[in-house]
Amino acid sequence: MKLTLWAIGLFAALTAAAAPDPTYTALRAARPDGRTIAVNDFAFDRDAYRITLNGTLNLLAPVEGATVGAVFHGNGQYTLTPANDDERRALRIQAGDEKLTALSETFESAVFFDAAMIKAAEAAGGTAKAGAVNGEAVKAFDDFMKRERKDFTTNFHIRVLQEILDPLPQPLFLAYVRGRKLPPAILAFDVRGVDSLRLFDIGDDGEKTLLYISDQTKGGLWYMAHEKTAYDAGFTKRTPRVADAERYVIDTTIAPNAELSGTTVMTFTANIAGRVLPLALARSLRIDDVQLTPAAGDPAWTPASFIQENPEEDADAAIVFPAALKAGTKYLLKVAYHGVGKKVLRESGDGNFTVGARDSWYPNVGSFTDIADFELTFRTPQKSKNQVVAVGMEASNKIEGDQRVAVWKSTHPLRVAGFNYGNFKKTTQTDDQSGITVDVYTNPGEPDIIREINQALSSGGAGDEFGSFGGGVFVNTSALAQAAYADGANTARTGNLFFGPLPDKRIAITQQSAWFSGQSWPNLVYLPYLAFVGSTVRNMLGFGMDMAQFVDQVGAHEVAHQWWGHQVGWRSYHDAWLSEGFAEFTSGLVLEMRKGTATMNNFYEQKRKRILEKQRGARMTSDQAGPITQGIRLSSWQAPGAYNVIVYEKGAYVLHMLRMTMRDTSKPVPDEAFMAMMKDFATTYAGKNASTADFQQMVEKHATRNLKISKDGKVDWFFDQWVRGTAIPRYASKLDVVEAPGGKYRITGTITQSEVPENFGVMLPIYLMFDKNSIGKLGETLIVGNMTKPINVEVALPKKPKSVTINAMHDVLAR
């Protein structure tokens, strides 16, 4: 009976929903209708693109009285001239041509969505002529539609719909081109920013021009840049997103079979007027109903149409309102949805679950970059032993009928909401030194992943961390909980010291059935099972030293995101290192506090090697792939793993270099200046999305003498070299020490810097080695460009050093 009532309720909700939007329906159905325009040497520019057409434009059927698209047949060519040196370098890597200055491609057919181009073609070639539908044009358009659904899995029609219903002063240019030499490509100029095309969610910085190649081997982002005029003017501009969320009230039901359904009420402000609102929502969550009301006054919910194609294809979600939203007005949007399959929450054996769709398990208008308050209600089977752990604080937990209802609320605006679900055992400890309370949630059962381990191992027992379990092994959850607590407490202590205390004094660390991946949410951390598998079993399973280092560092890295990623966000993909690189740097600090300077030194030596090496399957070393500010675009077919190496590892190394440059060993707290800077940065940008330029300004504010090596006293030199540049120096030193009169010692010799631009400068430290465990810093010397610098200095010392060396603490990233 309960199931029947539920089905009736769902049917009522479905029948109450608004009908499909007729404009979208017409747009999706539009095909070549027989109208044609002949074009001869017809050329037009779209920012960095120059496009020339000789042939026929086969127009698509009009929508709302306007022709927005056409299929071209004939001889066409596009030339892409990069806007700056960074984009030229990136395009050279993607094209595999070190001498490339502009990319040209010819084609016989293409699909264009560009109403302005069609009008210009009519002006040049005459009014469109009616005739029979061209079969080749229909075939070419059908190929585009198949690619949209199956390969791009991106609903471009939503963006074109915005162009019809919510046009902006600069029109959209979107083209699908099947070239003669290159794989199929998407060319675009979009004033809303390339993320609005929804090919990806890279976190653009307002870049408007795009070349995206569709290919299993060489595919991806080949070009992505601001307008060429913006670089010339030194000023770039972002079009605001359609809406900014202020609050999410999310009511989620988890069925006994782990399928998820829910209703989300989002409070948002419309930034720009319009009828179309794109939403982020997992493809396996299907929208049932959408209602809208102004936030002010008594709610009078109005049905709204929604767009959501096949979940396995171009399933991007969007709302189409019956009337345009008013810019600056606050609204409530209510979306009801249900799950299809178990892709959001997947059972992983014996009360363990894996959460998928981690930032889109609820409809939203931007996670991580758009902060909001959250109220999360979870309804789970009353008889189940499973429970929910979520972001924020648990406000209530009670039984209502045959459900357990738990409510979690944020104590301040958050960037994203997350949860974990399973049969957990909770242990709680408070670290007196940091003031942080760590709740650890472990599962006492045997998940599928452990059964897989048992199948791989021939017999049980692997030290204190494991015991026999059916002839195999199982995770000792007591050891697991203690290890997780130690990660939380050690990171909190280190973070408090270097970055200042967090606003929240509680963090939950949960066991997750995923083997390798960890993730950090506000107040909530997922740690993978591998983090709790002992070294003996790891070795038996064939994991090497890299995996041991991952296990030693993953907990601190994920907890560090409470500062870097959640307290302080990042503006765009160019600035992702402010999250990932800073978190990786923090894990190195924690290692240093736990295990000493030698361990920290090895930490950066391993990073140095990975930065300079050619990874398996790569055609170039990671450092050659591009600068830190290239972000996710560092990964290409020539260097698939470069993003992780450069953003995470080089990002951490650069922050370490800042620390070492600012260090003053004559002070009681040598890192005093660095700590002050990081605390200022964490406080100033709490709840904000910082950019690399913001961090540079903070460094300049706290810059010590060793950072002020340029005449203007700024730190552009450091960021240009290490963050926005790719050069890495090579050093050679020949330094001797001899006794001098008066109890002094004379240090003489040379230091050579090479393989750098002529204006490349560093303050290179010189160290005195007394014995294995005793090292002292003599000072620094400024080296600029490719040069050999003589060293001749006399210093009073208590005893003669055994040797003199440079860069002993990985102060400068070097070859």
Side-chain angles (χ1 to χ4, degrees), residues 86 89 627-629 650 654 692 696 700 710 712 714-727 757 759-761:
D86 288 341
R89 177 180 56 211
I628 290 173
T629 49
K650 186 181 177 184
V654 167
T692 298
Q696 179 175 334
E700 285 184 350
S710 62
D712 59 10
K714 295 184 178 296
V715 295
D716 296 68
W717 68 273
F718 184 92
F719 283 80
D720 287 345
Q721 290 175 186
W722 298 110
V723 181
R724 294 182 283 267
T726 59
N759 64 346
F760 190 99

Side-chain angles (χ1 to χ4, degrees), residues 750-766:
T750 59
I751 299 173
T752 299
Q753 176 175 268
S754 59
E755 301 181 29
V756 294
E758 289 306 315
N759 64 346
F760 190 99
V762 297
M763 290 294 289
L764 189 67
I766 303 173

Side-chain angles (χ1 to χ4, degrees), residues 667-805:
K667 292 188 175 182
V669 180
D671 288 313
E672 177 181 87
F674 178 79
M675 290 174 172
M677 177 185 73
M678 296 303 289
K679 289 175 181 177
D680 194 358
F681 184 60
T683 301
T684 301
Y685 289 95
K688 300 176 183 177
N689 298 321
S691 67
T692 298
D694 294 328
F695 182 60
Q696 179 175 334
Q697 289 180 356
M698 188 61 66
V699 175
E700 285 184 350
K701 177 181 175 181
H702 293 268
T704 56
R705 176 179 58 85
N706 285 345
L707 279 171
K708 298 179 179 181
I709 65 174
S710 62
K711 292 181 179 179
D712 59 10
K714 295 184 178 296
V715 295
D716 296 68
W717 68 273
F718 184 92
F719 283 80
D720 287 345
Q721 290 175 186
W722 298 110
V723 181
R724 294 182 283 267
T726 59
I728 297 176
R730 186 183 299 278
Y731 292 108
S733 63
K734 202 171 188 179
L735 299 170
D736 296 314
V737 55
V738 296
E739 291 188 27
K744 295 183 177 182
Y745 295 87
R746 180 169 294 278
I747 315 296
T748 58
T750 59
I751 299 173
T752 299
Q753 176 175 268
S754 59
E755 301 181 29
V756 294
E758 289 306 315
N759 64 346
F760 190 99
V762 297
M763 290 294 289
L764 189 67
I766 303 173
Y767 287 91
L768 305 175
M769 311 294 290
F770 293 97
D771 54 47
K772 184 178 180 180
N773 298 314
S774 180
I775 181 172
K777 187 175 180 180
L778 174 65
E780 305 89 2
T781 185
L782 176 63
I783 303 181
V784 179
N786 299 287
M787 65 173 294
T788 296
K789 184 169 186 176
I791 302 297
N792 189 341
V793 62
E794 211 172 77
V795 60
L797 298 170
K799 62 179 180 179
K800 182 179 180 180
K802 291 186 176 180
S803 62
V804 183
T805 189

Side-chain angles (χ1 to χ4, degrees), residues 9-26:
L10 177 58
F11 177 79
L14 287 170
T15 56
D21 180 73
T23 306
Y24 174 75
T25 301

Side-chain angles (χ1 to χ4, degrees), residues 15-330:
T15 56
D21 180 73
T23 306
Y24 174 75
T25 301
L27 176 63
R28 187 80 175 187
R31 297 292 187 276
D33 65 357
R35 293 176 300 142
T36 59
I37 301 174
V39 288
N40 183 32
D41 287 334
F42 175 61
F44 61 99
D45 296 318
R46 293 295 182 264
D47 187 46
Y49 286 109
R50 176 75 172 178
I51 299 167
T52 304
L53 304 177
N54 285 281
T56 304
L57 288 172
N58 298 269
L59 305 186
L60 302 186
V63 179
E64 294 286 310
T67 300
V68 297
V71 178
F72 169 77
H73 260 288
N75 291 308
Q77 178 176 329
Y78 70 81
T79 299
L80 172 62
T81 304
N84 58 25
D85 290 340
D86 288 341
E87 288 302 325
R88 187 174 299 108
R89 177 180 56 211
L91 190 58
R92 285 173 174 172
I93 290 173
Q94 293 285 12
D97 182 353
E98 295 180 358
K99 297 181 179 180
L100 180 144
T101 57
L103 179 71
S104 291
E105 173 66 311
T106 58
F107 54 90
E108 295 178 356
S109 70
V111 175
F112 291 100
F113 291 99
D114 187 338
M117 179 271 286
I118 294 171
K119 289 181 180 179
E122 280 193 303
T127 304
K129 298 179 180 179
V133 175
N134 184 303
E136 288 300 312
V138 173
K139 183 179 178 181
F141 193 81
D142 287 343
D143 174 64
F144 161 71
M145 289 296 296
K146 182 180 178 181
R147 293 271 182 175
E148 178 176 11
R149 297 193 310 270
K150 301 292 186 180
D151 296 338
F152 298 114
T153 61
T154 300
N155 192 340
F156 295 116
H157 284 78
I158 292 175
R159 178 62 191 90
V160 179
L161 181 67
Q162 286 181 297
E163 199 66 10
I164 297 171
L165 298 180
D166 309 325
L168 295 177
Q170 286 181 282
L172 170 70
F173 162 69
L174 176 64
Y176 167 70
V177 178
R178 291 185 65 93
R180 289 191 173 101
K181 296 181 298 182
L182 296 176
I186 293 291
L187 288 61
F189 175 84
D190 192 345
V191 69
R192 293 178 184 265
V194 296
D195 269 357
S196 67
L197 295 172
R198 304 176 86 173
L199 270 165
F200 40 73
D201 185 13
I202 195 173
D204 71 36
D205 195 31
E207 289 93 344
K208 300 174 179 61
T209 303
L210 167 78
L211 173 62
Y212 184 90
I213 298 293
S214 177
D215 186 71
Q216 289 186 345
T217 303
K218 296 184 178 181
L221 265 170
W222 279 36
Y223 182 83
M224 177 174 162
H226 293 284
E227 306 101 310
K228 297 177 74 172
T229 54
Y231 292 112
D232 294 339
F235 176 76
T236 60
K237 185 178 180 181
R238 277 181 167 187
T239 298
R241 68 180 74 205
V242 176
D244 274 332
E246 177 182 302
R247 178 176 172 80
Y248 291 93
V249 178
I250 305 170
D251 195 315
T252 302
T253 298
I254 300 175
N257 66 353
E259 286 193 356
L260 185 147
S261 61
T263 299
T264 292
V265 177
M266 176 179 68
T267 304
F268 72 93
T269 298
N271 290 324
I272 53 179
R275 289 183 56 197
V276 183
L277 176 65
L279 287 179
L281 183 65
R283 295 168 181 266
S284 60
L285 289 174
R286 310 307 292 169
I287 298 175
D288 299 318
D289 183 51
V290 179
Q291 306 276 336
L292 179 77
T293 185
D298 294 332
W301 295 99
T302 300
S305 301
F306 60 87
I307 298 168
Q308 197 178 37
E309 300 291 342
N310 189 310
E312 302 302 324
E313 298 181 345
D314 53 335
D316 302 308
I319 311 302
V320 184
F321 301 112
L325 303 178
K326 296 180 180 179
T329 300
K330 189 176 295 186

